[in-house]
Amino acid sequence: MILETRHSIAEILSRQPLFRGLSEVELAQISVGCREFRVKKNEVLFHKGDIPEGMHVMVMGQIKLALPSSQGVEKIVHMCGPGTTFGEAVVFLDKPYPVSAQAMSESLVLLVSKRVMLEAMESNHMLSRKMLAGLSSRLHELLGDMESCTLRTSMQRVVCFLIQSGAADETPVFDVALQSSKQNIASQLNLAPETFSRVLGHLSEKGLIQVKGRTITVLDRMQLRNFTA
Amino acid sequence: MILETRHSIAEILSRQPLFRGLSEVELAQISVGCREFRVKKNEVLFHKGDIPEGMHVMVMGQIKLALPSSQGVEKIVHMCGPGTTFGEAVVFLDKPYPVSAQAMSESLVLLVSKRVMLEAMESNHMLSRKMLAGLSSRLHELLGDMESCTLRTSMQRVVCFLIQSGAADETPVFDVALQSSKQNIASQLNLAPETFSRVLGHLSEKGLIQVKGRTITVLDRMQLRNFTA
DNA sequence: TATTTACTTTGACAATGATCAATTTTGCTC
DNA sequence: GAGCAAAATTGATCATTGTCAAAGTAAATA
């Protein structure tokens, strides 16, 4: 039974981008250091300040990483989706979690112990390399968020968000499907939900976008970009 | 002459925390991939958007990493001091610099090429481990800054800054020596210089701190901390 | 030391965005 | 589909913080 579980965990791991390319032996070793978590919608996986045991691998679902504040409000720092990892940094730091993690939908998460991760990386340089790349990406992403928060107006933040959410190509018209509620997006953009709503309203009035529930249609990428500066 | 220079670079490297413990051969190999930069005060080492060639090691001086904005203003993200590194992330990412780097005082910086860093890490796992730890620290630090910017008032930001700048012990009275100008600190705290000045003024009035040029004396750590919540 | 330049402080004012409250809409559960 | 709860919108108001301007101070340079 346990062997069966370990085996299935190894199989799950093998499908995650981070662990792709590892040998069966390596996967087996890592799977031994794994714990499986099935969390329901709104369930909290860990709180800011908790002592971390390892790194998390998202297999299924959606989890938000957020900074709680003394009052009820919180600032969402990142949304994690399938195939991604989070909490990498705590593997190397001996510090409590700097954020809280809460499931936005029913999710399946693997917790890989620090020790096992460190050992696996010691014997497999490619894994180290991927972890380095992952942390680097996260750092750049966070810098981008910082830039948004500190030197852009609410309008600019929303416009940048819309443009970045579109395909990389230069199609003038495209749809943005919000992957979560608007208040959620607002928090990521560091805006009050009301402000977000109003900004979308303004852009609609000007005929630059069209809002239908969680789908926003950008009607004129060029003109929209003018609001960036 | 060149050999002489390479040798001295290897020696400098051996004194940097990141490279401490490497063999002479390893240091020699890395030094081959190094370029030395001596920058004067206010000189720009690189701009946001430039294509990175490698990672930087600060040997001497002080360099600020900042996000420029369309208008003249900028947001300082980090101050780099001797013995630290910056631009680690670009080694793993193939992306332009997300920040600009400008010397705040005459500085000596080494640029270690991406290729050489990657090779050195491949053969020395301890180096990978240190890079991972460094990136992780930076990430947590940035999360802390994010927390500050997004869910604290100007007063709270300043108070947190003062308390964090003090020794870890619980001495009620201590000095904080600002390592740069007040407008500089203000930018790091995401405040207008005027606001920073006013907040310090308020705290002085209440008898919680005393400001003398670039030295701030905290008179009552406990009471000051009350402003955090 | 004199002179200029940069930094800091202070005041008055403006504006962006948050908050509060009420209403409408959406989506979920039974 | 009815009823309920959560989410979104809209309006009115307010507060925090930024901006502009001016004066004062410190520091750098000749």
Side-chain angles (χ1 to χ4, degrees):
Chain A
M1 183 56 187
I2 293 221
L3 280 174
E4 199 50 32
T5 307
R6 285 302 147 206
H7 183 261
S8 71
I9 287 186
E11 201 168 53
I12 291 173
L13 286 176
S14 74
R15 284 195 295 266
Q16 306 304 317
L18 180 63
F19 298 111
R20 199 161 290 159
L22 295 202
S23 71
E24 291 209 9
V25 177
E26 288 172 315
L27 288 169
Q29 285 169 343
I30 294 175
S31 71
V32 172
C34 276
R35 280 168 59 196
E36 197 180 313
F37 287 85
R38 289 171 188 278
V39 287
K40 298 200 194 77
K41 184 173 175 174
N42 294 326
E43 202 175 322
V44 173
L45 198 60
F46 55 78
H47 292 97
K48 177 171 189 281
D50 287 354
I51 303 303
E53 291 174 37
M55 190 188 80
H56 292 268
V57 180
M58 279 226 53
V59 181
M60 222 189 63
Q62 191 181 40
I63 288 185
K64 76 168 176 208
L65 304 182
L67 294 163
S69 83
S70 32
Q71 301 92 323
V73 284
E74 59 168 28
K75 153 76 184 157
I76 298 178
V77 181
H78 191 68
M79 298 293 298
C80 308
T84 66
T85 54
F86 59 97
E88 296 97 322
V90 300
V91 170
F92 310 101
L93 284 183
D94 235 1
K95 281 188 180 179
Y97 283 114
V99 296
S100 301
Q102 186 180 15
M104 298 308 290
S105 62
E106 197 183 349
S107 303
L108 172 59
V109 182
L110 297 178
L111 171 67
V112 192
S113 84
K114 290 188 187 191
R115 194 179 53 75
V116 165
M117 273 309 292
L118 291 171
E119 282 171 9
M121 287 170 45
E122 192 127 14
S123 59
N124 186 318
H125 183 262
M126 189 193 68
L127 188 57
S128 294
R129 191 68 182 59
K130 282 189 178 177
M131 289 292 285
L132 284 161
L135 280 165
S136 298
S137 280
R138 201 67 202 84
L139 193 61
H140 274 213
E141 203 179 313
L142 204 54
L143 270 170
D145 291 347
M146 194 61 145
E147 188 170 9
S148 230
C149 286
T150 58
L151 23 98
R152 293 210 259 259
T153 65
S154 54
M155 175 61 85
Q156 291 170 332
R157 291 209 283 277
V158 173
V159 169
C160 286
F161 165 76
L162 289 174
I163 290 175
Q164 285 177 356
S165 302
D169 63 49
E170 288 295 314
T171 334
V173 180
F174 59 94
D175 277 6
V176 176
L178 304 183
Q179 73 284 22
S180 58
S181 67
K182 286 186 186 165
Q183 51 187 355
N184 212 308
I185 304 287
S187 170
Q188 290 179 63
L189 296 174
N190 200 31
L191 294 173
E194 293 94 333
T195 306
F196 185 49
S197 177
R198 277 185 254 266
V199 171
L200 288 180
H202 281 148
L203 291 172
S204 294
E205 275 179 31
K206 304 211 174 192
L208 297 172
I209 66 170
Q210 209 169 331
V211 184
K212 261 186 206 150
R214 284 194 182 176
T215 304
I216 298 172
T217 308
V218 173
L219 300 171
D220 191 337
R221 184 183 220 130
M222 286 305 159
Q223 273 215 278
L224 197 64
R225 190 169 287 147
N226 292 341
F227 285 80
T228 297
Chain B
M1 183 56 187
I2 293 220
L3 281 175
E4 200 50 31
T5 306
R6 285 301 147 205
H7 183 261
S8 72
I9 287 186
E11 200 167 54
I12 290 173
L13 286 176
S14 73
R15 285 195 295 268
Q16 306 303 317
L18 180 64
F19 298 111
R20 200 161 288 159
L22 295 202
S23 71
E24 290 208 9
V25 176
E26 288 172 315
L27 288 169
Q29 284 170 343
I30 295 175
S31 72
V32 172
C34 278
R35 280 169 58 196
E36 197 181 313
F37 286 85
R38 290 170 188 278
V39 287
K40 300 202 194 72
K41 184 173 173 173
N42 294 327
E43 202 175 321
V44 174
L45 197 60
F46 54 79
H47 292 95
K48 177 171 189 277
D50 287 354
I51 303 302
E53 291 174 37
M55 189 190 79
H56 292 268
V57 180
M58 280 226 53
V59 180
M60 222 189 63
Q62 192 181 39
I63 287 184
K64 77 168 175 207
L65 304 181
L67 295 163
S69 83
S70 32
Q71 300 93 324
V73 284
E74 58 168 28
K75 153 77 183 156
I76 298 179
V77 181
H78 191 67
M79 299 292 300
C80 308
T84 65
T85 55
F86 59 96
E88 296 97 322
V90 298
V91 171
F92 309 101
L93 284 182
D94 235 0
K95 281 189 181 179
Y97 284 114
V99 296
S100 300
Q102 185 178 18
M104 299 307 291
S105 62
E106 198 184 349
S107 303
L108 174 58
V109 182
L110 297 179
L111 172 67
V112 192
S113 84
K114 290 189 187 191
R115 195 178 53 74
V116 165
M117 272 308 294
L118 291 171
E119 282 172 8
M121 287 171 44
E122 192 127 15
S123 58
N124 185 319
H125 184 261
M126 188 191 70
L127 188 57
S128 294
R129 191 68 183 59
K130 283 189 179 178
M131 289 292 284
L132 285 161
L135 280 166
S136 298
S137 281
R138 201 67 202 84
L139 193 61
H140 275 212
E141 203 179 313
L142 203 55
L143 272 170
D145 292 347
M146 196 59 148
E147 188 171 9
S148 230
C149 286
T150 57
L151 25 97
R152 293 210 260 260
T153 64
S154 55
M155 174 62 84
Q156 291 171 333
R157 291 210 283 278
V158 172
V159 168
C160 286
F161 166 75
L162 290 175
I163 289 175
Q164 285 177 356
S165 301
D169 63 48
E170 287 296 314
T171 333
V173 180
F174 60 93
D175 277 6
V176 176
L178 305 182
Q179 72 284 20
S180 58
S181 68
K182 287 186 185 164
Q183 51 186 0
N184 213 306
I185 305 286
S187 170
Q188 290 179 62
L189 296 174
N190 201 31
L191 294 173
E194 294 93 332
T195 306
F196 185 49
S197 177
R198 278 185 253 267
V199 171
L200 289 180
H202 281 148
L203 292 172
S204 294
E205 274 179 31
K206 303 212 177 193
L208 296 173
I209 65 169
Q210 210 169 330
V211 183
K212 261 184 205 148
R214 283 193 185 178
T215 304
I216 298 172
T217 308
V218 173
L219 300 171
D220 191 337
R221 186 184 218 129
M222 287 305 159
Q223 274 215 277
L224 197 64
R225 190 168 289 148
N226 292 340
F227 285 81
T228 296

